[in-house]
Amino acid sequence: MANVVVIGAQWGDEGKGKITDLLSNSADMVVRYQGGVNAGHTVVVKGQTFKLHLIPSGILYPSTECIIGSGTVIDPKVLIQELDQLDALHISTENLLISSTAHVTMPYHRLIDQASEERRGDHKIGTTKRGIGPTYADKSERTGIRMIDLMEPESLRKLLHWTVTHKNAVLEKLYDLPPLDPEAVIQEYLGYAERLRPHVVDSSLRIHEAIRQRRNILFEGAQGTLLDLDHGTYPYVTSSNPVAGGACVGAGVGPTMIDRVIGVAKAYTTRVGEGPFPTEQLNEMGELLRDRGAEFGTTTGRERRCGWFDGVIGRYAVRINGLDCLAITKLDVLDELAEIQVCVAYDLDGERCHELPTGARQFAQCRPVYKTLPGWQQSTADCRSLEDLPAAALNYLKFLAELMEVPIAIVSLGASRDQTIIVEDPIHGPKRALLYDRAQPIGLRGEATHSAAIRAIEV
């Protein structure tokens, strides 16, 4: 039995959907613990592409129970669209459960999000305009609507009459937008409630029961570490906590229930939206990475900004999440390159900086310090073991593992499930660590009790 958290180790879009789908084969339950429809997971199975925004990736396995946890904010309209799409493909959604305490994204949230972002002008954050931030804001202000409220018509009617009237004042006076009809909103969401009612449960209790039964549980995060509200590159962040610690709050479990944390990182780096990006390549290399990696947002379709692998943010993600191992995705995107650069440090005001600055101004001034490695200039798409990889590709993975001071357990070489090298199953426990192992003991969830010396393991 293992309870494993899967998180993004960069700015999101790292390929968590594929890795979660892959690991779901060994999981009895998959729990989505934060984010909303601003997230998107793409999974390719036998040539068929599935794009999911709210429903956990594990839904593609008939025997896997999937839970949308209380830390997730739910747009019922989008969720029902996803259910309909899966039903049309004859994929059962009977095992989907929704937390009764998850908050609901309403029409006024989307309108306020869109208007607010436009008002920012040159100070835009890069929001998806899906209403996520305003939904979490209402949650913090204790004026939000929860799934349990949708299940109680009279309660919902009273709540929405007051809330829509209040939000109309904001829409009209602050953003010069027409008001919403409270009764129309009520009727729309009462309709959603009836469709979703069979799926709504006390999710924390359901997860606790699964833990007592010693079932394998996978906790799935959205976005990535650098978009975390508290620990990301603020203010260009999301409105929730994608980091591993967010799994406990968003799912309703204690930290002692988590056994392992796996981070997902691309073999290069991408970012969607605004904010500093030290290794961004605003040139032909950036275009090549975007084209070969099909770097377009699952949710918005926006082009992703592309650049070299950033070891500084990588080490930061290891520290913040207490990562036990890594999954490196899209290694095949680098197949054509003669040389590959990796950021090993920053230059900040003439001084070498090995840690991520906490200030937005300082981070914006960071310039990457690169280490150049040789490329392999041959296809890795058909590799299914470490021994199949070109020597330079294997050395590249070794370098990343040493740089980030954490073993690599999975290597993804394409979008399909089978385009993967699995060296270690993070759910069933370690068999052997890929390329690097910590030579001395590591204390609580990754903090070194002694020096975290790294030694190479011959493969």
Side-chain angles (χ1 to χ4, degrees):
M1 184 275 291
N3 301 325
V4 177
V5 180
V6 179
I7 62 96
Q10 295 164 322
W11 275 289
D13 305 311
E14 302 95 345
K16 296 182 297 298
K18 174 183 174 175
I19 301 303
T20 303
D21 168 71
L22 197 68
L23 297 177
S24 295
N25 188 41
S26 302
D28 301 302
M29 176 181 285
V30 179
V31 182
R32 165 78 179 275
Y33 63 83
Q34 51 79 220
V37 296
N38 56 339
H41 288 169
T42 301
V43 179
V44 180
V45 183
K46 296 180 179 179
Q48 190 168 22
T49 300
F50 300 88
K51 294 188 177 183
L52 304 171
H53 299 276
L54 285 166
I55 297 177
S57 305
I59 199 69
L60 302 180
Y61 292 94
S63 61
T64 301
E65 195 169 58
C66 293
I67 292 181
I68 301 176
S70 62
T72 310
V73 293
I74 298 172
D75 187 324
K77 183 177 182 179
V78 175
L79 179 55
I80 290 171
Q81 288 173 351
E82 286 191 30
L83 289 170
D84 289 342
Q85 289 169 3
L86 291 171
D87 289 342
L89 294 169
H90 306 291
I91 295 171
S92 174
T93 56
E94 290 182 1
N95 284 339
L96 176 68
L97 302 175
I98 305 167
S99 172
S100 60
T101 55
H103 279 248
V104 179
T105 296
M106 307 297 295
Y108 45 79
H109 291 138
R110 292 190 293 270
L111 291 170
I112 290 172
D113 195 5
Q114 294 162 11
S116 174
E117 182 74 351
E118 290 303 317
R119 282 284 183 92
R120 288 178 178 272
D122 294 337
H123 301 283
K124 289 181 180 178
I125 292 174
T127 172
T128 60
K129 302 179 182 179
R130 299 298 200 270
I132 308 304
T135 308
Y136 277 113
D138 278 5
K139 179 178 179 177
S140 296
E141 289 183 354
R142 293 156 291 179
T143 58
I145 305 296
R146 303 191 298 174
M147 288 301 299
I148 190 65
D149 298 319
L150 261 63
M151 301 300 109
E152 301 171 354
E154 289 308 312
S155 173
L156 180 66
R157 186 176 294 278
K158 292 177 182 178
L159 285 170
L160 280 181
H161 264 299
W162 182 88
T163 305
V164 174
T165 300
H166 173 73
K167 296 297 182 181
N168 278 343
V170 176
L171 291 171
E172 291 180 281
K173 296 179 180 178
L174 185 59
Y175 297 115
D176 196 28
L177 292 172
L180 293 166
D181 179 355
E183 188 58 33
V185 174
I186 291 167
Q187 292 304 317
E188 178 185 358
Y189 277 74
L190 284 175
Y192 296 151
E194 289 312 304
R195 174 69 186 278
L196 297 176
R197 187 180 300 278
H199 299 278
V200 177
V201 298
D202 182 340
S203 63
S204 177
L205 178 60
R206 195 68 167 247
I207 296 166
H208 182 70
E209 289 171 346
I211 292 172
R212 291 189 63 182
Q213 295 165 6
R214 302 187 63 80
R215 300 169 70 194
N216 292 325
I217 303 175
L218 199 61
F219 296 91
E220 175 187 26
Q223 288 94 31
T225 299
L226 278 298
L227 291 178
D228 187 89
L229 180 60
D230 290 289
H231 303 289
T233 49
Y234 193 90
Y236 304 103
V237 294
T238 192
S239 303
S240 58
N241 295 108
V243 295
C248 296
V249 178
V253 300
T256 56
M257 298 295 102
I258 304 301
D259 297 304
R260 304 193 77 193
V261 182
I262 178 171
V264 184
K266 280 176 184 166
Y268 50 102
T269 308
T270 63
R271 181 170 193 173
V272 172
E274 308 299 323
F277 182 178
T279 66
E280 183 174 14
Q281 297 297 296
L282 298 171
N283 50 31
E284 290 183 1
M285 181 55 65
E287 291 293 332
L288 184 147
L289 293 173
R290 183 179 299 112
D291 291 342
R292 282 186 54 81
E295 296 297 353
F296 302 92
T298 302
T299 298
T300 63
R302 290 181 294 180
E303 290 186 349
R304 293 174 184 147
R305 301 157 62 189
C306 298
W308 297 116
F309 189 92
D310 190 329
V312 179
I313 69 170
R315 288 193 300 269
Y316 178 77
V318 172
R319 169 164 61 91
I320 290 295
N321 295 290
L323 295 185
D324 292 289
C325 57
L326 279 169
I328 298 295
T329 63
K330 295 197 173 184
L331 183 68
D332 57 300
V333 172
L334 306 181
D335 284 352
E336 294 182 358
L337 305 184
E339 291 185 339
I340 302 169
Q341 296 198 66
V342 177
C343 173
V344 296
Y346 296 147
D347 182 291
L348 179 57
D349 297 330
E351 295 187 6
R352 188 66 59 91
C353 177
H354 293 278
E355 302 296 338
L356 184 73
T358 57
R361 182 185 63 82
Q362 290 87 350
F363 184 52
Q365 294 175 341
C366 286
R367 298 294 175 262
V369 177
Y370 287 118
K371 168 76 174 178
T372 302
L373 285 82
W376 43 95
Q377 294 186 289
Q378 64 184 93
S379 176
T380 59
D382 295 326
C383 295
R384 296 296 178 267
S385 69
L386 297 179
E387 290 75 17
D388 294 338
L389 288 171
L394 191 59
N395 287 334
Y396 181 71
L397 292 173
K398 286 182 178 181
F399 185 82
L400 296 187
E402 182 177 34
L403 180 65
M404 296 177 70
E405 300 186 357
V406 69
I408 298 172
I410 297 173
V411 182
S412 174
L413 303 157
S416 296
R417 278 179 184 167
D418 63 330
Q419 293 180 296
T420 312
I421 298 172
I422 300 179
V423 182
E424 172 190 325
D425 186 334
I427 289 183
H428 286 151
K431 296 181 179 69
R432 63 189 180 103
L434 166 61
L435 308 175
Y436 289 93
D437 196 6
R438 295 180 174 96
Q440 297 192 24
I442 299 298
L444 295 177
R445 309 314 296 164
E447 182 181 350
T449 53
H450 304 287
S451 62
I454 309 299
R455 62 179 175 84
I457 294 178
E458 295 298 326
V459 177

